[in-house]
Amino acid sequence: MFEKFRFLTAGESHGKCLTAIIEGLPAGLEIDVDFINAELKRRQGGYGRGGRMKIENDTVEITSGVRFGKTLGSPLTMVIWNRDFENWQKIMSVNAKDFTDEKSFTAYRPGHADFAGSIKYNREDLRDILERSSARKTAIYVAVGAVAKLLLKHYGIECSSKILQIGSGKNEEEFCREIDLAKEAGDTVGGKFEVIVDNLPVGLGSHVHWDRKLDGRIAQAVMSIPAVKSVSFGDGEDAYKIFGSKFHDEIFLKENGEIYRKTNHSGGVEGGMTNGEPLVVRAVMKPIPTLRKPLNTVDFKQNEQTTAHFERSDTCAVEACAVVAEAMVACTLANEIMLVKPCDYL
Amino acid sequence: MFEKFRFLTAGESHGKCLTAIIEGLPAGLEIDVDFINAELKRRQGGYGRGGRMKIENDTVEITSGVRFGKTLGSPLTMVIWNRDFENWQKIMSVNAKDFTDEKSFTAYRPGHADFAGSIKYNREDLRDILERSSARKTAIYVAVGAVAKLLLKHYGIECSSKILQIGSGKNEEEFCREIDLAKEAGDTVGGKFEVIVDNLPVGLGSHVHWDRKLDGRIAQAVMSIPAVKSVSFGDGEDAYKIFGSKFHDEIFLKENGEIYRKTNHSGGVEGGMTNGEPLVVRAVMKPIPTLRKPLNTVDFKQNEQTTAHFERSDTCAVEACAVVAEAMVACTLANEIMLVKPCDYL
Amino acid sequence: MFEKFRFLTAGESHGKCLTAIIEGLPAGLEIDVDFINAELKRRQGGYGRGGRMKIENDTVEITSGVRFGKTLGSPLTMVIWNRDFENWQKIMSVNAKDFTDEKSFTAYRPGHADFAGSIKYNREDLRDILERSSARKTAIYVAVGAVAKLLLKHYGIECSSKILQIGSGKNEEEFCREIDLAKEAGDTVGGKFEVIVDNLPVGLGSHVHWDRKLDGRIAQAVMSIPAVKSVSFGDGEDAYKIFGSKFHDEIFLKENGEIYRKTNHSGGVEGGMTNGEPLVVRAVMKPIPTLRKPLNTVDFKQNEQTTAHFERSDTCAVEACAVVAEAMVACTLANEIMLVKPCDYL
Amino acid sequence: MFEKFRFLTAGESHGKCLTAIIEGLPAGLEIDVDFINAELKRRQGGYGRGGRMKIENDTVEITSGVRFGKTLGSPLTMVIWNRDFENWQKIMSVNAKDFTDEKSFTAYRPGHADFAGSIKYNREDLRDILERSSARKTAIYVAVGAVAKLLLKHYGIECSSKILQIGSGKNEEEFCREIDLAKEAGDTVGGKFEVIVDNLPVGLGSHVHWDRKLDGRIAQAVMSIPAVKSVSFGDGEDAYKIFGSKFHDEIFLKENGEIYRKTNHSGGVEGGMTNGEPLVVRAVMKPIPTLRKPLNTVDFKQNEQTTAHFERSDTCAVEACAVVAEAMVACTLANEIMLVKPCDYL
């Protein structure tokens, strides 16, 4: 949780809805619902997605904090209703009287929260864990991130993302080939991507205390996305391969007195602060752990070796993951911008 | 800042001392000062260190929170006195009457906080920034981490670290060769290392909300270390290269009913929680940005192109960085362990 | 915001709904929706309430975090729908195209957030402020508090409250008389009440750091209720009138070795911690600032002296306020209990 | 802990020193050490103080965060050395080898943290609790508050305080008489006081979320001072006695268009925000619980009824308490002012 742009999100994958409350917005910010919905649509796209994406077609309903198209400064609530909920209302009922363990899951899916979560929270039906650990919840992150982006746009700041690699593929055509290969094999494939933020002011974050360093905060926000296993800034991933004289971004003076750089190996962060260059955050998404070709695992109820259950799933969701990463970076920056340009109203 | 194991650190590189206050420790924890000092010594070692390390020989003084060798539950204060302070007391004086700008720094050092920090905090002498952004402050992180480790040891949890690569070198001998090469060239070199934590209980962290995910919290803590540019869990850095069936850690059943894994690609974290396997955090440290062979930069006072100032520095500090990373991981885990096994006293 | 029992609330007085997300609950807690609704009913009762209470008849809908009657450990969302929303959807529309300033408020109501809020958030229609500052939002506090109470009940802890004084009235009959007097005069009246919590363990809160003191945390929670202007513990309000020998609660030993007290002037808190005696929190609610007999004020748009607008309102809401105070105390204690008896599951 | 002006304090009553680290200050703030020391002196004064005050004569040493008389933006450390430490170094030693239980305390002092603290932290020597729960620690609060005041002064904001009542005494002469009476009787006496803050901008705090309400935050800060048992705003303590038409502060228009009030019953806070009137916070301090005429209590080691131990103490410390309250209010306001006028530098 941040200091100024705070939010809580809630909702199970097949529950009635996903909900977010954002607290700390300035008043007077124009909320463009179409933009939020367009962001939700971006998350649902990408080559390699499965059937559920067609059902979802997420849109957001705002139930507080906005009047006549502008924020009030009060907490903003967004809801994404589950259009498929009628098929799930029995199995996801909040009422004790609807209890059933007929369809309970008892075989841990490797790579998921199932094992650790069921022990931590003492659950006998793994659905009690997987409904919340599902990547479905990232839809509401994207909605929150879209609001953060609207705030950043007010200051001219723009976020985007780009896929860098999927399997051994390094361009659009190769990405599709890798995904096709994985799909044919009943397998899944991850990828590497980057989030780029342009037009940031110098000095977001701080060097003075570890928990105010911008790179640390962004690393937390991006690493907390399901399936992300690695986060780097600029060429940080390879920074151990070259000497300092090649890595550091030298500083030059234009004739007009302006300062500039010829390189951006540091990814726009020095000393835990933005340095005026584009912010470049790279992340690696692991392959989706739900495979058609099932993985070996254990059923803790039957106490026997078995294979992991397969629910309709995607082969590759790297594009979606990049959109979610944009959102989480935008949330982090929205908080930072309000710490330096505090704006009770716009 | 964490919920239970909170701490603030303070101190300039050439100031009188570094200070930390830790708030939230249980009472009755044995504080082994020799262990803390031994950790400080580890941070000062490693091939490739410069002259300052010989001066420092850091030791800690505890000025609150401990009585007769055990914590009281009250805030614990640690101080590392600067043994070289008498040579710096004029230039680092707290008194207005000692003001001088004779030795002020006005040329930004690339790769440091100088540029962004001086703009953010409106400083005319870069020393006002570099004194705090210096890696010197990590000494007190190590002291705080040592206390965290003492708490973890109480639960049988052990932290260690290992250098994986320096330049193109992949073993001890090659590390030294790379460092020698860099040194001869007046250059610096970074490295890749891993922190390993053994014997963690299942279920630290949580999948239920993004900011409680253990991997996110650790990523923040490690990325906030000066010079760290990349953080991964297990084989996360390469997770995009292989298909899901090869990446995920299958689960097996022993005859005695015990559950085990044959692999640990995930680095001990699934769904934002520890899963009972060793925690493996990998990080990349960039080359130290202070080079004997100076980098191009700008002097903002003279408004001219120049080269960066060189102060006595190290060629390579990857071993030290790994020790600091252990400390930051230990602090994160100490907080988590107290959330699940709350211990007002031990 | 607390460390473990975190929550955000949202919603405008005449908006579509009030929403709360609670994050940090253990799994396995039975959620008795009837109990939550009964608490909401308690808030709507009491002598001296106006017409709106009859429309409201609040009930809660749970949209996440609960399955088959028990918490999942994931964030719990509660919604209280506004049954009267169809009459307000134009004036409270989120859409820019519905904008109208026909019914805008421009005369500050003394005693309300109108003046300061409209300046802070730069609003031209005071409805943008009053919709959020309305006491209506305390309905969702009561719902959150009811969940906190369910957690406390699990540990045998019980919260209640009692009206102590209204105007000069000191018993039920006199309370009604004072309220009738106020009503006849087109005026309003406040009151003094206490919240009592029984069966608390010794040692919630802490003396070791100011922001962990239980009395401080409770004081914040209760003082943040609209209209509360004074908070005391036990006989604290009068503690300056008597000498120490009469104020402090002496400690005695039973023959069976049990420790007991004969008095509880301290209200169950010593050194910022519960001491095993009943917790007694006293608070004063000011008279409701919306009066039928209007107060002098200024219309900032007309730039003229005028009188404050009157919307249908209550004469006295002290009973409701006491119920809200119970809720806020329960939230504070739920957080504390989870810090000492951490319970990922029950 | 606040969002921007964060601080941790540490130190035992008879330990080597008290320490505070403040994190979040802007750079360029002039730190007037004489002012800080003068504030410390104010805390030590007042009629009715005992012998220790003469020994103490506290002064502060700044060991980080300030250079040439101005803040650097980095964490500021202050230390108050215990001038009497040489007499305590054995009994307060941090070293295990100095352990002794010869002088251990085992009789709970009523009104202190002894009972609850020793159970919570499982201590056998009550000194382990009382050393931290002592009012001695408020010296460092005053130092932190003095820094906060320096920041507030930059914006023209001034804090002061005034004793309102001691026992039945309502003026200076009567205060002394009450204190003399208590002293002669071997007893102690508390008091009521107010903190006043002038020249605050409109709109500090917020009505939009309970934990951002300024009155709640101040209530926590003041209630967390040892011995404070009641906190009110303006005439809040008596707000239940009069009708709304008499309590609320009507708003008037000057001919020059300026808005003003004739009364300030609300104490400068409406809707959780400053409203431009002086902030008035009233608090009640209970009588000091250490009495020369000892209270009945229990020795838990001897398991017998006894009387509480008396250490050299004060008869009345209301003036000191008011100074501490000023400090805590100043800290709260310093945080708020930086949220609305964020100032990385001054």
Side-chain angles (χ1 to χ4, degrees):
Chain A
M1 292 288 283
F2 306 120
E3 296 93 345
K4 290 212 82 173
F5 184 93
R6 301 190 289 176
F7 63 98
L8 290 174
T9 71
E12 277 63 55
S13 179
H14 298 96
K16 191 166 187 179
C17 58
L18 299 170
T19 307
I21 298 176
I22 307 176
E23 201 285 309
L25 287 170
L29 177 67
E30 280 185 42
I31 296 298
D32 178 347
V33 176
D34 292 340
F35 174 74
I36 302 173
N37 289 337
E39 289 288 290
L40 289 174
K41 191 144 200 81
R42 285 180 69 210
R43 194 197 71 98
Q44 296 187 279
Y47 196 79
R49 308 305 299 277
R52 188 170 179 185
M53 289 304 104
K54 280 132 206 168
I55 301 171
E56 286 175 343
N57 193 18
D58 293 328
T59 57
V60 85
E61 181 183 8
I62 293 174
T63 62
S64 81
V66 177
R67 189 175 173 224
F68 302 154
K70 291 189 177 177
T71 55
L72 296 171
S74 58
L76 187 156
T77 307
M78 288 185 288
V79 182
I80 299 174
W81 299 101
N82 175 3
R83 291 161 189 268
D84 194 30
F85 184 58
E86 63 185 309
N87 296 320
W88 289 88
Q89 51 189 333
K90 272 291 169 197
I91 207 71
M92 291 304 293
S93 170
V94 304
N95 298 317
K97 66 173 173 47
D98 293 328
F99 175 79
T100 172
D101 60 0
E102 268 176 46
K103 295 184 180 177
S104 70
F105 275 88
T106 54
Y108 309 118
R109 294 166 311 152
H112 278 288
D114 301 14
F115 175 71
S118 64
I119 290 173
K120 181 181 182 84
Y121 292 104
N122 195 32
R123 301 287 85 194
E124 292 186 358
D125 180 354
L126 296 177
R127 181 168 295 286
D128 286 358
I129 301 303
L130 66 88
E131 280 288 333
R132 180 65 187 159
S133 65
S134 162
R136 172 76 192 133
K137 69 175 167 243
T138 61
I140 199 79
Y141 295 6
V142 170
V144 174
V147 173
K149 285 182 178 183
L150 290 171
L151 181 66
L152 295 175
K153 274 171 198 274
H154 179 83
Y155 296 102
I157 301 165
E158 293 285 343
C159 307
S160 60
S161 62
K162 195 166 87 180
I163 311 297
L164 300 174
Q165 191 161 345
I166 288 179
S168 58
K170 297 190 177 182
N171 58 43
E172 289 280 333
E173 198 181 331
E174 291 173 6
F175 298 162
C176 294
R177 185 200 64 203
E178 289 289 316
I179 294 167
D180 289 342
L181 277 174
K183 192 170 187 181
E184 283 159 28
D187 216 321
T188 57
V189 64
K192 180 151 67 163
F193 60 88
E194 70 183 16
V195 173
I196 308 103
V197 188
D198 287 304
N199 209 18
L200 286 164
V202 173
L204 297 188
S206 177
H207 68 290
V208 300
H209 204 261
W210 74 269
D211 57 357
R212 292 178 61 198
K213 294 207 156 195
L214 185 65
D215 39 5
R217 290 184 179 216
I218 288 176
Q220 176 182 17
V222 175
M223 193 68 91
S224 74
I225 299 169
V228 169
K229 298 294 283 184
S230 179
V231 177
S232 310
F233 286 83
D235 299 325
E237 202 187 350
D238 295 324
Y240 63 95
K241 293 181 182 166
I242 52 175
F243 282 180
S245 57
K246 298 283 177 245
F247 187 82
H248 297 293
D249 303 308
E250 295 185 306
I251 302 175
F252 299 96
L253 194 65
K254 285 188 189 166
E255 288 201 10
N256 65 4
E258 220 175 281
I259 274 168
Y260 71 103
R261 315 239 191 176
K262 297 175 179 168
T263 55
N264 185 20
H265 298 302
S266 72
V269 187
E270 287 174 313
M273 287 171 283
T274 50
N275 68 357
E277 303 302 308
L279 181 75
V280 180
V281 187
R282 296 204 181 120
V284 175
M285 184 198 187
K286 70 180 184 183
I288 291 169
T290 306
L291 278 72
R292 215 173 65 234
K293 178 175 77 180
L295 296 166
N296 287 304
T297 191
V298 169
D299 184 308
F300 67 88
K301 200 169 176 191
Q302 306 301 333
N303 201 31
E304 65 183 22
Q305 196 72 42
T306 181
T307 56
H309 179 82
F310 175 72
E311 277 192 32
R312 182 182 50 188
S313 184
D314 303 324
T315 302
C316 179
V318 176
E319 272 191 66
C321 192
V323 173
V324 177
E326 281 181 42
M328 295 305 283
V329 170
C331 290
T332 311
L333 293 170
N335 182 64
E336 296 295 331
I337 203 91
M338 284 199 287
L339 287 174
V340 298
K341 295 187 192 259
C343 37
D344 291 325
Y345 58 87
L346 293 181
Chain B
M1 292 286 281
F2 305 121
E3 297 93 344
K4 290 212 81 173
F5 184 92
R6 301 190 286 177
F7 63 97
L8 289 174
T9 72
E12 277 64 56
S13 181
H14 299 97
K16 191 166 187 180
C17 58
L18 299 169
T19 308
I21 298 178
I22 307 176
E23 200 286 309
L25 287 171
L29 177 67
E30 280 185 42
I31 296 298
D32 177 347
V33 176
D34 293 340
F35 174 75
I36 302 174
N37 288 338
E39 290 287 291
L40 290 173
K41 189 140 201 85
R42 285 180 68 209
R43 193 195 73 96
Q44 296 187 280
Y47 196 80
R49 307 305 297 278
R52 187 169 180 187
M53 290 303 105
K54 279 135 207 166
I55 302 171
E56 286 177 343
N57 193 18
D58 294 327
T59 57
V60 85
E61 180 183 9
I62 293 174
T63 63
S64 81
V66 176
R67 188 174 175 227
F68 302 153
K70 291 189 177 177
T71 55
L72 295 171
S74 58
L76 188 157
T77 306
M78 289 185 289
V79 181
I80 298 175
W81 299 101
N82 176 3
R83 291 161 189 269
D84 194 31
F85 184 59
E86 63 185 308
N87 296 321
W88 289 88
Q89 49 190 334
K90 271 290 170 199
I91 206 71
M92 291 303 294
S93 170
V94 304
N95 299 317
K97 64 173 174 46
D98 293 329
F99 174 80
T100 171
D101 59 1
E102 270 177 46
K103 295 184 180 175
S104 70
F105 276 89
T106 54
Y108 310 119
R109 294 165 311 150
H112 278 288
D114 301 13
F115 175 71
S118 64
I119 290 173
K120 181 183 183 81
Y121 293 104
N122 196 31
R123 301 287 87 194
E124 294 187 358
D125 180 354
L126 296 176
R127 181 169 293 287
D128 287 356
I129 302 302
L130 67 87
E131 281 287 334
R132 180 63 188 160
S133 66
S134 161
R136 172 78 192 130
K137 69 175 168 246
T138 61
I140 199 80
Y141 296 5
V142 169
V144 174
V147 173
K149 284 181 178 184
L150 289 171
L151 181 66
L152 295 175
K153 274 173 198 272
H154 179 82
Y155 296 103
I157 301 164
E158 292 285 344
C159 306
S160 60
S161 62
K162 198 166 84 180
I163 311 299
L164 300 175
Q165 192 161 344
I166 287 177
S168 58
K170 297 191 175 180
N171 58 42
E172 289 278 334
E173 199 181 330
E174 291 173 7
F175 298 162
C176 295
R177 185 201 62 205
E178 289 288 317
I179 295 167
D180 289 342
L181 278 173
K183 194 171 184 179
E184 284 159 28
D187 215 322
T188 57
V189 63
K192 180 150 68 162
F193 60 86
E194 70 184 15
V195 173
I196 307 104
V197 187
D198 288 303
N199 208 19
L200 285 164
V202 173
L204 297 187
S206 177
H207 67 290
V208 300
H209 204 262
W210 74 270
D211 58 357
R212 292 177 60 198
K213 293 208 156 195
L214 184 65
D215 38 7
R217 292 184 179 215
I218 288 176
Q220 177 182 15
V222 175
M223 193 68 90
S224 73
I225 299 169
V228 169
K229 296 295 282 184
S230 178
V231 178
S232 311
F233 286 84
D235 299 325
E237 202 187 348
D238 295 325
Y240 62 94
K241 293 182 182 165
I242 53 174
F243 282 0
S245 56
K246 298 284 178 243
F247 186 81
H248 297 293
D249 303 307
E250 295 185 305
I251 303 175
F252 299 96
L253 195 64
K254 284 190 190 164
E255 286 199 12
N256 66 4
E258 219 176 279
I259 273 168
Y260 72 104
R261 315 237 189 176
K262 296 173 181 171
T263 55
N264 185 21
H265 298 302
S266 72
V269 187
E270 287 173 314
M273 287 171 281
T274 50
N275 68 359
E277 303 302 309
L279 181 74
V280 180
V281 187
R282 296 205 180 118
V284 175
M285 185 197 186
K286 70 179 183 184
I288 290 169
T290 305
L291 277 70
R292 217 175 62 236
K293 178 176 74 181
L295 296 166
N296 287 305
T297 191
V298 169
D299 184 308
F300 67 89
K301 202 169 174 190
Q302 307 300 333
N303 200 29
E304 65 182 22
Q305 196 73 40
T306 180
T307 56
H309 179 81
F310 176 72
E311 278 193 32
R312 178 184 52 188
S313 185
D314 304 323
T315 303
C316 178
V318 177
E319 270 192 68
C321 191
V323 173
V324 177
E326 280 180 45
M328 294 305 282
V329 170
C331 290
T332 312
L333 293 170
N335 182 63
E336 296 294 329
I337 204 91
M338 284 199 288
L339 286 174
V340 298
K341 296 186 191 255
C343 37
D344 290 325
Y345 58 88
L346 292 180
Chain C
M1 292 288 284
F2 305 120
E3 297 93 345
K4 289 213 80 174
F5 184 92
R6 302 191 287 176
F7 63 97
L8 290 174
T9 73
E12 277 65 54
S13 180
H14 298 97
K16 191 167 187 180
C17 58
L18 300 169
T19 308
I21 298 176
I22 307 176
E23 200 286 309
L25 286 171
L29 177 67
E30 280 185 41
I31 296 299
D32 178 347
V33 177
D34 292 340
F35 174 74
I36 302 173
N37 289 338
E39 290 288 290
L40 289 173
K41 190 141 202 86
R42 286 180 67 210
R43 193 195 72 98
Q44 295 188 279
Y47 196 80
R49 307 306 298 279
R52 186 169 181 187
M53 289 302 106
K54 279 134 206 168
I55 301 170
E56 285 177 344
N57 192 19
D58 294 328
T59 57
V60 84
E61 182 183 8
I62 293 174
T63 63
S64 81
V66 177
R67 189 176 173 224
F68 302 155
K70 291 188 176 177
T71 54
L72 295 171
S74 57
L76 188 157
T77 307
M78 287 185 290
V79 182
I80 298 175
W81 298 101
N82 175 4
R83 290 161 189 269
D84 195 29
F85 184 58
E86 63 185 308
N87 296 319
W88 289 89
Q89 49 190 334
K90 271 290 169 199
I91 207 71
M92 291 304 294
S93 170
V94 304
N95 298 316
K97 66 176 173 42
D98 293 329
F99 175 79
T100 171
D101 60 0
E102 270 176 47
K103 296 183 179 176
S104 70
F105 276 89
T106 54
Y108 310 119
R109 295 165 310 151
H112 279 287
D114 302 13
F115 175 71
S118 64
I119 290 172
K120 181 182 183 82
Y121 293 104
N122 196 31
R123 300 288 86 194
E124 294 187 358
D125 180 356
L126 296 176
R127 181 169 295 287
D128 287 357
I129 302 302
L130 67 87
E131 281 287 333
R132 180 64 188 160
S133 66
S134 162
R136 171 79 192 129
K137 70 175 167 244
T138 60
I140 199 79
Y141 296 6
V142 170
V144 174
V147 173
K149 284 182 178 184
L150 289 171
L151 181 66
L152 295 175
K153 274 172 198 271
H154 179 82
Y155 296 102
I157 301 164
E158 292 285 343
C159 306
S160 60
S161 62
K162 198 165 83 180
I163 312 297
L164 300 174
Q165 192 161 342
I166 288 178
S168 59
K170 298 191 174 179
N171 58 42
E172 290 278 334
E173 201 181 327
E174 291 174 7
F175 297 163
C176 295
R177 187 199 63 205
E178 289 288 317
I179 294 167
D180 289 342
L181 278 172
K183 193 171 186 178
E184 282 159 29
D187 215 321
T188 57
V189 63
K192 180 150 68 163
F193 60 87
E194 70 183 16
V195 173
I196 307 105
V197 188
D198 288 303
N199 208 19
L200 286 163
V202 173
L204 298 186
S206 178
H207 67 289
V208 300
H209 204 261
W210 75 270
D211 58 357
R212 292 177 59 196
K213 293 207 156 195
L214 185 65
D215 38 7
R217 291 183 179 217
I218 287 176
Q220 176 182 16
V222 175
M223 193 69 90
S224 73
I225 299 169
V228 169
K229 296 295 282 184
S230 178
V231 178
S232 311
F233 286 83
D235 299 326
E237 201 186 350
D238 295 324
Y240 62 95
K241 294 181 182 167
I242 53 175
F243 282 0
S245 57
K246 298 285 178 240
F247 186 81
H248 297 293
D249 303 306
E250 295 185 306
I251 303 175
F252 299 97
L253 195 65
K254 284 190 190 163
E255 287 199 12
N256 66 4
E258 218 176 279
I259 274 168
Y260 72 104
R261 316 238 190 176
K262 296 174 182 170
T263 55
N264 185 21
H265 298 301
S266 72
V269 187
E270 287 174 314
M273 287 171 281
T274 50
N275 68 358
E277 303 302 308
L279 181 75
V280 181
V281 187
R282 294 204 181 118
V284 175
M285 184 197 186
K286 70 179 184 185
I288 290 169
T290 306
L291 277 71
R292 217 174 63 235
K293 180 176 73 181
L295 296 165
N296 287 305
T297 192
V298 170
D299 184 307
F300 67 89
K301 201 171 176 188
Q302 306 301 332
N303 200 30
E304 65 183 19
Q305 195 74 39
T306 180
T307 56
H309 179 81
F310 175 71
E311 278 192 31
R312 181 184 50 189
S313 184
D314 303 324
T315 303
C316 178
V318 177
E319 271 191 67
C321 192
V323 173
V324 177
E326 280 181 43
M328 294 307 282
V329 171
C331 291
T332 311
L333 293 170
N335 183 62
E336 296 295 329
I337 203 90
M338 284 199 288
L339 287 174
V340 298
K341 296 186 191 260
C343 37
D344 290 324
Y345 58 88
L346 293 179
Chain D
M1 293 287 282
F2 305 120
E3 296 92 346
K4 291 212 80 172
F5 184 92
R6 302 190 288 176
F7 63 98
L8 289 174
T9 72
E12 276 65 53
S13 180
H14 299 96
K16 190 166 188 180
C17 58
L18 299 170
T19 308
I21 299 177
I22 307 176
E23 199 286 309
L25 287 170
L29 177 67
E30 279 185 42
I31 296 299
D32 177 347
V33 176
D34 292 340
F35 173 75
I36 302 173
N37 289 338
E39 290 288 290
L40 290 174
K41 190 141 201 85
R42 286 181 68 212
R43 193 196 72 98
Q44 296 187 280
Y47 196 80
R49 308 304 298 279
R52 188 171 180 183
M53 290 304 104
K54 280 133 206 168
I55 301 171
E56 285 176 346
N57 193 16
D58 293 327
T59 56
V60 84
E61 181 184 8
I62 294 174
T63 62
S64 80
V66 177
R67 188 174 174 226
F68 301 154
K70 291 190 177 176
T71 55
L72 295 172
S74 58
L76 187 157
T77 306
M78 288 186 287
V79 182
I80 299 174
W81 299 100
N82 176 3
R83 290 161 189 269
D84 194 29
F85 184 58
E86 64 186 308
N87 296 319
W88 288 89
Q89 49 189 334
K90 271 290 168 199
I91 207 72
M92 291 303 294
S93 170
V94 304
N95 298 318
K97 65 175 173 46
D98 293 328
F99 175 79
T100 171
D101 60 0
E102 269 175 48
K103 294 183 180 178
S104 70
F105 276 88
T106 54
Y108 309 119
R109 295 165 310 151
H112 278 288
D114 302 14
F115 174 71
S118 64
I119 289 172
K120 181 183 182 83
Y121 292 104
N122 195 32
R123 301 287 85 193
E124 292 187 357
D125 180 354
L126 296 176
R127 180 168 296 285
D128 287 356
I129 301 303
L130 65 87
E131 281 287 334
R132 179 65 188 159
S133 65
S134 162
R136 172 77 192 129
K137 69 174 167 244
T138 60
I140 199 80
Y141 296 6
V142 170
V144 174
V147 173
K149 284 181 177 183
L150 290 171
L151 180 66
L152 295 175
K153 273 170 198 273
H154 179 82
Y155 296 102
I157 301 164
E158 292 285 344
C159 306
S160 59
S161 61
K162 195 166 86 180
I163 312 297
L164 300 175
Q165 192 161 342
I166 288 178
S168 59
K170 298 190 176 181
N171 58 43
E172 289 279 334
E173 198 181 330
E174 291 174 7
F175 298 162
C176 295
R177 186 200 63 204
E178 289 287 316
I179 294 166
D180 289 342
L181 277 174
K183 192 170 186 179
E184 284 158 27
D187 216 322
T188 57
V189 64
K192 181 150 68 163
F193 60 87
E194 69 183 17
V195 174
I196 308 104
V197 188
D198 287 304
N199 208 19
L200 286 164
V202 173
L204 297 187
S206 177
H207 68 290
V208 300
H209 204 261
W210 75 269
D211 57 357
R212 292 178 59 198
K213 293 206 155 195
L214 184 66
D215 39 5
R217 291 183 178 216
I218 287 176
Q220 176 182 17
V222 175
M223 193 69 90
S224 73
I225 301 169
V228 169
K229 296 296 282 184
S230 179
V231 178
S232 310
F233 286 83
D235 300 325
E237 202 187 349
D238 295 323
Y240 63 95
K241 294 181 182 165
I242 52 174
F243 283 179
S245 56
K246 299 284 178 242
F247 187 82
H248 298 292
D249 303 307
E250 295 185 306
I251 303 174
F252 299 97
L253 195 65
K254 285 190 189 162
E255 287 199 12
N256 65 4
E258 220 175 279
I259 274 168
Y260 73 104
R261 316 239 191 175
K262 297 174 180 170
T263 56
N264 185 21
H265 299 302
S266 73
V269 187
E270 287 173 314
M273 287 171 282
T274 50
N275 67 359
E277 303 302 309
L279 181 74
V280 180
V281 187
R282 296 205 179 117
V284 175
M285 185 198 186
K286 70 179 184 186
I288 291 168
T290 306
L291 279 71
R292 216 174 65 235
K293 178 176 76 180
L295 296 165
N296 286 304
T297 191
V298 169
D299 184 309
F300 68 88
K301 201 169 177 190
Q302 306 301 331
N303 200 31
E304 65 183 20
Q305 196 73 41
T306 181
T307 56
H309 179 82
F310 175 72
E311 278 192 33
R312 181 184 50 188
S313 183
D314 303 325
T315 303
C316 179
V318 177
E319 271 192 65
C321 191
V323 173
V324 177
E326 280 181 43
M328 295 305 282
V329 170
C331 291
T332 312
L333 293 170
N335 183 63
E336 297 294 330
I337 204 90
M338 284 199 287
L339 287 173
V340 298
K341 295 186 191 257
C343 36
D344 290 326
Y345 58 87
L346 293 180

